[in-house]
mmCIF file of all heavy atoms in Angstrom:
data_model
loop_
_atom_site.group_PDB
_atom_site.id
_atom_site.type_symbol
_atom_site.label_atom_id
_atom_site.label_comp_id
_atom_site.label_asym_id
_atom_site.label_seq_id
_atom_site.Cartn_x
_atom_site.Cartn_y
_atom_site.Cartn_z
ATOM 1 N N THR A 1 -1.077 9.498 5.919
ATOM 2 C CA THR A 1 -0.343 10.264 4.909
ATOM 3 C C THR A 1 -0.945 10.037 3.529
ATOM 4 O O THR A 1 -1.497 8.981 3.252
ATOM 5 C CB THR A 1 1.135 9.875 4.902
ATOM 6 O OG1 THR A 1 1.228 8.447 4.717
ATOM 7 C CG2 THR A 1 1.804 10.246 6.202
ATOM 8 N N ARG A 2 -0.827 11.037 2.660
ATOM 9 C CA ARG A 2 -1.450 10.968 1.340
ATOM 10 C C ARG A 2 -0.525 10.397 0.284
ATOM 11 O O ARG A 2 -0.984 9.803 -0.677
ATOM 12 C CB ARG A 2 -1.907 12.367 0.918
ATOM 13 C CG ARG A 2 -2.944 12.994 1.847
ATOM 14 C CD ARG A 2 -3.329 14.381 1.364
ATOM 15 N NE ARG A 2 -3.806 14.365 -0.013
ATOM 16 C CZ ARG A 2 -4.080 15.444 -0.727
ATOM 17 N NH1 ARG A 2 -3.891 16.642 -0.184
ATOM 18 N NH2 ARG A 2 -4.494 15.343 -1.982
ATOM 19 N N PHE A 3 0.783 10.566 0.461
ATOM 20 C CA PHE A 3 1.728 10.100 -0.538
ATOM 21 C C PHE A 3 2.825 9.293 0.142
ATOM 22 O O PHE A 3 3.158 9.526 1.313
ATOM 23 C CB PHE A 3 2.340 11.278 -1.309
ATOM 24 C CG PHE A 3 1.333 12.109 -2.054
ATOM 25 C CD1 PHE A 3 0.807 13.249 -1.487
ATOM 26 C CD2 PHE A 3 0.892 11.724 -3.318
ATOM 27 C CE1 PHE A 3 -0.124 14.021 -2.152
ATOM 28 C CE2 PHE A 3 -0.045 12.491 -3.993
ATOM 29 C CZ PHE A 3 -0.555 13.627 -3.415
ATOM 30 N N CYS A 4 3.399 8.363 -0.580
ATOM 31 C CA CYS A 4 4.477 7.519 -0.061
ATOM 32 C C CYS A 4 5.730 8.370 0.118
ATOM 33 O O CYS A 4 6.111 9.134 -0.762
ATOM 34 C CB CYS A 4 4.750 6.352 -1.011
ATOM 35 S SG CYS A 4 6.110 5.282 -0.482
ATOM 36 N N LYS A 5 6.376 8.224 1.271
ATOM 37 C CA LYS A 5 7.559 9.026 1.546
ATOM 38 C C LYS A 5 8.805 8.465 0.875
ATOM 39 O O LYS A 5 9.876 9.092 0.948
ATOM 40 C CB LYS A 5 7.808 9.089 3.052
ATOM 41 C CG LYS A 5 8.039 7.725 3.709
ATOM 42 C CD LYS A 5 8.189 7.855 5.193
ATOM 43 C CE LYS A 5 8.368 6.494 5.858
ATOM 44 N NZ LYS A 5 8.470 6.614 7.309
ATOM 45 N N TYR A 6 8.692 7.311 0.219
ATOM 46 C CA TYR A 6 9.847 6.720 -0.443
ATOM 47 C C TYR A 6 9.804 6.899 -1.965
ATOM 48 O O TYR A 6 10.822 7.212 -2.575
ATOM 49 C CB TYR A 6 9.947 5.232 -0.108
ATOM 50 C CG TYR A 6 9.976 4.962 1.368
ATOM 51 C CD1 TYR A 6 8.906 4.331 2.005
ATOM 52 C CD2 TYR A 6 11.061 5.357 2.151
ATOM 53 C CE1 TYR A 6 8.932 4.082 3.364
ATOM 54 C CE2 TYR A 6 11.085 5.130 3.498
ATOM 55 C CZ TYR A 6 10.026 4.485 4.112
ATOM 56 O OH TYR A 6 10.050 4.252 5.452
ATOM 57 N N CYS A 7 8.626 6.684 -2.582
ATOM 58 C CA CYS A 7 8.536 6.790 -4.045
ATOM 59 C C CYS A 7 7.568 7.868 -4.498
ATOM 60 O O CYS A 7 7.486 8.151 -5.689
ATOM 61 C CB CYS A 7 8.138 5.436 -4.644
ATOM 62 S SG CYS A 7 6.460 4.901 -4.213
ATOM 63 N N GLY A 8 6.774 8.464 -3.589
ATOM 64 C CA GLY A 8 5.863 9.535 -3.942
ATOM 65 C C GLY A 8 4.527 9.089 -4.496
ATOM 66 O O GLY A 8 3.732 9.921 -4.923
ATOM 67 N N ALA A 9 4.248 7.789 -4.509
ATOM 68 C CA ALA A 9 2.974 7.307 -5.047
ATOM 69 C C ALA A 9 1.831 7.684 -4.104
ATOM 70 O O ALA A 9 2.012 7.725 -2.882
ATOM 71 C CB ALA A 9 3.021 5.796 -5.241
ATOM 72 N N PRO A 10 0.623 7.963 -4.626
ATOM 73 C CA PRO A 10 -0.511 8.284 -3.742
ATOM 74 C C PRO A 10 -0.918 7.081 -2.927
ATOM 75 O O PRO A 10 -0.902 5.946 -3.395
ATOM 76 C CB PRO A 10 -1.602 8.722 -4.719
ATOM 77 C CG PRO A 10 -1.233 8.096 -6.033
ATOM 78 C CD PRO A 10 0.266 8.035 -6.064
ATOM 79 N N LEU A 11 -1.305 7.333 -1.664
ATOM 80 C CA LEU A 11 -1.685 6.273 -0.733
ATOM 81 C C LEU A 11 -3.173 6.264 -0.446
ATOM 82 O O LEU A 11 -3.609 5.500 0.416
ATOM 83 C CB LEU A 11 -0.921 6.430 0.586
ATOM 84 C CG LEU A 11 0.600 6.316 0.504
ATOM 85 C CD1 LEU A 11 1.218 6.554 1.865
ATOM 86 C CD2 LEU A 11 1.006 4.950 -0.025
ATOM 87 N N GLU A 12 -3.967 7.096 -1.108
ATOM 88 C CA GLU A 12 -5.396 7.130 -0.840
ATOM 89 C C GLU A 12 -6.022 5.818 -1.279
ATOM 90 O O GLU A 12 -5.787 5.315 -2.378
ATOM 91 C CB GLU A 12 -6.045 8.299 -1.577
ATOM 92 C CG GLU A 12 -5.534 9.666 -1.110
ATOM 93 C CD GLU A 12 -6.228 10.791 -1.840
ATOM 94 O OE1 GLU A 12 -7.055 10.487 -2.716
ATOM 95 O OE2 GLU A 12 -5.937 11.961 -1.526
ATOM 96 N N GLY A 13 -6.836 5.256 -0.423
ATOM 97 C CA GLY A 13 -7.496 3.987 -0.716
ATOM 98 C C GLY A 13 -6.681 2.782 -0.318
ATOM 99 O O GLY A 13 -7.183 1.648 -0.400
ATOM 100 N N GLU A 14 -5.429 2.983 0.132
ATOM 101 C CA GLU A 14 -4.620 1.848 0.541
ATOM 102 C C GLU A 14 -5.023 1.419 1.937
ATOM 103 O O GLU A 14 -5.291 2.236 2.813
ATOM 104 C CB GLU A 14 -3.123 2.214 0.516
ATOM 105 C CG GLU A 14 -2.599 2.548 -0.865
ATOM 106 C CD GLU A 14 -2.534 1.317 -1.759
ATOM 107 O OE1 GLU A 14 -2.535 0.203 -1.220
ATOM 108 O OE2 GLU A 14 -2.516 1.475 -2.980
ATOM 109 N N ARG A 15 -5.052 0.113 2.152
ATOM 110 C CA ARG A 15 -5.380 -0.432 3.465
ATOM 111 C C ARG A 15 -4.106 -0.632 4.265
ATOM 112 O O ARG A 15 -3.022 -0.704 3.700
ATOM 113 C CB ARG A 15 -6.125 -1.761 3.319
ATOM 114 C CG ARG A 15 -7.531 -1.622 2.768
ATOM 115 C CD ARG A 15 -8.185 -2.971 2.621
ATOM 116 N NE ARG A 15 -7.544 -3.774 1.581
ATOM 117 C CZ ARG A 15 -7.863 -5.025 1.312
ATOM 118 N NH1 ARG A 15 -8.811 -5.628 2.015
ATOM 119 N NH2 ARG A 15 -7.251 -5.691 0.371
ATOM 120 N N PRO A 16 -4.237 -0.714 5.619
ATOM 121 C CA PRO A 16 -3.041 -0.982 6.420
ATOM 122 C C PRO A 16 -2.353 -2.263 5.968
ATOM 123 O O PRO A 16 -2.963 -3.183 5.428
ATOM 124 C CB PRO A 16 -3.596 -1.096 7.844
ATOM 125 C CG PRO A 16 -4.862 -0.330 7.816
ATOM 126 C CD PRO A 16 -5.425 -0.495 6.432
ATOM 127 N N ALA A 17 -1.046 -2.310 6.215
ATOM 128 C CA ALA A 17 -0.258 -3.454 5.764
ATOM 129 C C ALA A 17 -0.716 -4.746 6.426
ATOM 130 O O ALA A 17 -0.631 -5.820 5.839
ATOM 131 C CB ALA A 17 1.224 -3.205 6.053
ATOM 132 N N SER A 18 -1.221 -4.666 7.686
ATOM 133 C CA SER A 18 -1.661 -5.882 8.361
ATOM 134 C C SER A 18 -2.947 -6.443 7.775
ATOM 135 O O SER A 18 -3.264 -7.610 7.979
ATOM 136 C CB SER A 18 -1.859 -5.594 9.849
ATOM 137 O OG SER A 18 -2.812 -4.543 10.012
ATOM 138 N N GLU A 19 -3.747 -5.606 7.051
ATOM 139 C CA GLU A 19 -4.999 -6.075 6.474
ATOM 140 C C GLU A 19 -4.877 -6.427 5.009
ATOM 141 O O GLU A 19 -5.832 -6.920 4.405
ATOM 142 C CB GLU A 19 -6.073 -4.988 6.625
ATOM 143 C CG GLU A 19 -6.343 -4.601 8.079
ATOM 144 C CD GLU A 19 -7.377 -3.505 8.175
ATOM 145 O OE1 GLU A 19 -7.903 -3.133 7.096
ATOM 146 O OE2 GLU A 19 -7.661 -3.037 9.288
ATOM 147 N N ARG A 20 -3.726 -6.157 4.396
ATOM 148 C CA ARG A 20 -3.571 -6.461 2.974
ATOM 149 C C ARG A 20 -3.368 -7.957 2.803
ATOM 150 O O ARG A 20 -2.574 -8.578 3.505
ATOM 151 C CB ARG A 20 -2.366 -5.708 2.399
ATOM 152 C CG ARG A 20 -2.533 -4.211 2.394
ATOM 153 C CD ARG A 20 -1.278 -3.555 1.834
ATOM 154 N NE ARG A 20 -1.067 -3.948 0.448
ATOM 155 C CZ ARG A 20 -1.547 -3.294 -0.588
ATOM 156 N NH1 ARG A 20 -2.294 -2.228 -0.400
ATOM 157 N NH2 ARG A 20 -1.302 -3.674 -1.821
ATOM 158 N N PRO A 21 -4.087 -8.585 1.872
ATOM 159 C CA PRO A 21 -3.886 -10.020 1.661
ATOM 160 C C PRO A 21 -2.510 -10.282 1.076
ATOM 161 O O PRO A 21 -2.007 -9.528 0.245
ATOM 162 C CB PRO A 21 -4.999 -10.392 0.669
ATOM 163 C CG PRO A 21 -5.305 -9.104 -0.040
ATOM 164 C CD PRO A 21 -5.079 -8.011 0.969
ATOM 165 N N SER A 22 -1.898 -11.331 1.575
ATOM 166 C CA SER A 22 -0.569 -11.682 1.077
ATOM 167 C C SER A 22 -0.675 -12.205 -0.345
ATOM 168 O O SER A 22 -1.635 -12.879 -0.722
ATOM 169 C CB SER A 22 0.062 -12.747 1.980
ATOM 170 O OG SER A 22 -0.757 -13.896 2.015
ATOM 171 N N ARG A 23 0.323 -11.899 -1.127
ATOM 172 C CA ARG A 23 0.326 -12.346 -2.506
ATOM 173 C C ARG A 23 0.524 -13.841 -2.595
ATOM 174 O O ARG A 23 1.281 -14.428 -1.829
ATOM 175 C CB ARG A 23 1.450 -11.620 -3.274
ATOM 176 C CG ARG A 23 1.221 -10.134 -3.414
ATOM 177 C CD ARG A 23 2.307 -9.524 -4.246
ATOM 178 N NE ARG A 23 3.600 -9.679 -3.597
ATOM 179 C CZ ARG A 23 4.742 -9.288 -4.145
ATOM 180 N NH1 ARG A 23 4.749 -8.747 -5.344
ATOM 181 N NH2 ARG A 23 5.882 -9.448 -3.502
ATOM 182 N N ALA A 24 -0.167 -14.442 -3.540
ATOM 183 C CA ALA A 24 -0.041 -15.882 -3.713
ATOM 184 C C ALA A 24 1.346 -16.213 -4.234
ATOM 185 O O ALA A 24 2.051 -15.395 -4.790
ATOM 186 C CB ALA A 24 -1.110 -16.391 -4.697
ATOM 187 N N ALA A 25 1.714 -17.464 -4.034
ATOM 188 C CA ALA A 25 3.045 -17.884 -4.461
ATOM 189 C C ALA A 25 3.194 -17.792 -5.971
ATOM 190 O O ALA A 25 4.274 -17.552 -6.494
ATOM 191 C CB ALA A 25 3.324 -19.307 -3.981
ATOM 192 N N SER A 26 2.070 -17.972 -6.690
ATOM 193 C CA SER A 26 2.159 -17.907 -8.139
ATOM 194 C C SER A 26 2.388 -16.503 -8.641
ATOM 195 O O SER A 26 2.905 -16.298 -9.734
ATOM 196 C CB SER A 26 0.869 -18.464 -8.763
ATOM 197 O OG SER A 26 -0.251 -17.707 -8.304
ATOM 198 N N GLU A 27 1.990 -15.441 -7.820
ATOM 199 C CA GLU A 27 2.172 -14.076 -8.250
ATOM 200 C C GLU A 27 3.557 -13.547 -7.939
ATOM 201 O O GLU A 27 3.941 -12.506 -8.425
ATOM 202 C CB GLU A 27 1.130 -13.181 -7.567
ATOM 203 C CG GLU A 27 -0.296 -13.571 -7.920
ATOM 204 C CD GLU A 27 -1.279 -12.689 -7.187
ATOM 205 O OE1 GLU A 27 -0.816 -11.813 -6.432
ATOM 206 O OE2 GLU A 27 -2.484 -12.871 -7.373
#
């Protein structure tokens, strides 16, 4: 899909959720 179905933000260039690095605890 090209846009988020919840907020409408563009999804082009986004990686699958399983490949996204988890945010550090400091962030």
Side-chain angles (χ1 to χ4, degrees):
T1 55
R2 299 179 56 187
F3 299 95
C4 178
K5 60 184 178 182
Y6 305 111
C7 67
L11 298 177
E12 297 181 358
E14 296 290 341
R15 290 179 292 175
S18 58
E19 300 178 4
R20 294 179 63 90
S22 59
R23 294 184 297 177
S26 59
E27 299 178 0

